[in-house]
Amino acid sequence: MKEIIAGLNKNFESRIRLGIMSALMVNDTLDFNALKELLGVTDGNLASHLKALEKHELISVSKRFIGRKPNTTYSSTDYGKLSFKKHLAALEQLLGGN
C-alpha cells in the first residue's frame, strides 16, 4: 500500500489542478478563459493553480496577442503528461483497478 501511495503526486491533490490536467490531457492547448469556464473557478483561483503547475514544469504557458488582446494558452508538458498518467495509475491501484 505504501508504494501505491508513493505514486500519488501532491501537485494533483486539488480538484482544480486535477481538472486542469484532465482538460489538458484531452486538448492540445486551452486558453485561460476556456479553463475558467470549464472548471467554474475565479480568475485568481485558476491563476494560482496554473502558476503552481507551471512552477513544477507540468504545464507550459504561451502568451501572444490576437489583434490587440492578450491571449494566454496552456498545454501539458511531456513531463506533466507522464506524471499525471502515473498519478492516475496509482489512484486506479488504490481503487483496486489493477
Side-chain angles (χ1 to χ4, degrees):
M1 180 68 104
K2 284 183 183 181
E3 55 275 351
I4 295 173
I5 301 239
L8 296 174
N9 188 323
K10 284 190 76 70
N11 291 304
F12 306 130
E13 287 181 0
S14 159
R15 82 167 177 86
I16 296 168
R17 292 183 195 176
L18 196 63
I20 292 167
M21 289 304 295
S22 296
L24 293 177
M25 292 294 284
V26 296
N27 295 282
D28 287 337
T29 62
L30 287 171
D31 68 18
F32 186 88
N33 288 329
L35 283 167
K36 180 181 161 186
E37 184 177 319
L38 182 67
L39 300 170
V41 294
T42 64
D43 287 2
N45 198 354
L46 179 58
S48 67
H49 287 288
L50 288 167
K51 190 171 285 285
L53 291 171
E54 181 187 11
K55 177 184 171 187
H56 290 96
E57 299 179 353
L58 299 165
I59 64 170
S60 62
V61 180
S62 175
K63 296 182 183 231
R64 62 187 175 128
F65 282 88
I66 298 178
R68 292 181 176 244
K69 289 188 167 189
N71 181 266
T72 305
T73 58
Y74 301 89
S75 59
S76 180
T77 63
D78 289 340
Y79 173 69
K81 289 176 185 173
L82 179 64
S83 297
F84 192 64
K85 286 177 183 177
K86 286 181 179 180
H87 181 77
L88 293 179
L91 285 173
E92 286 176 358
Q93 280 187 299
L94 277 174
L95 297 173
N98 279 333

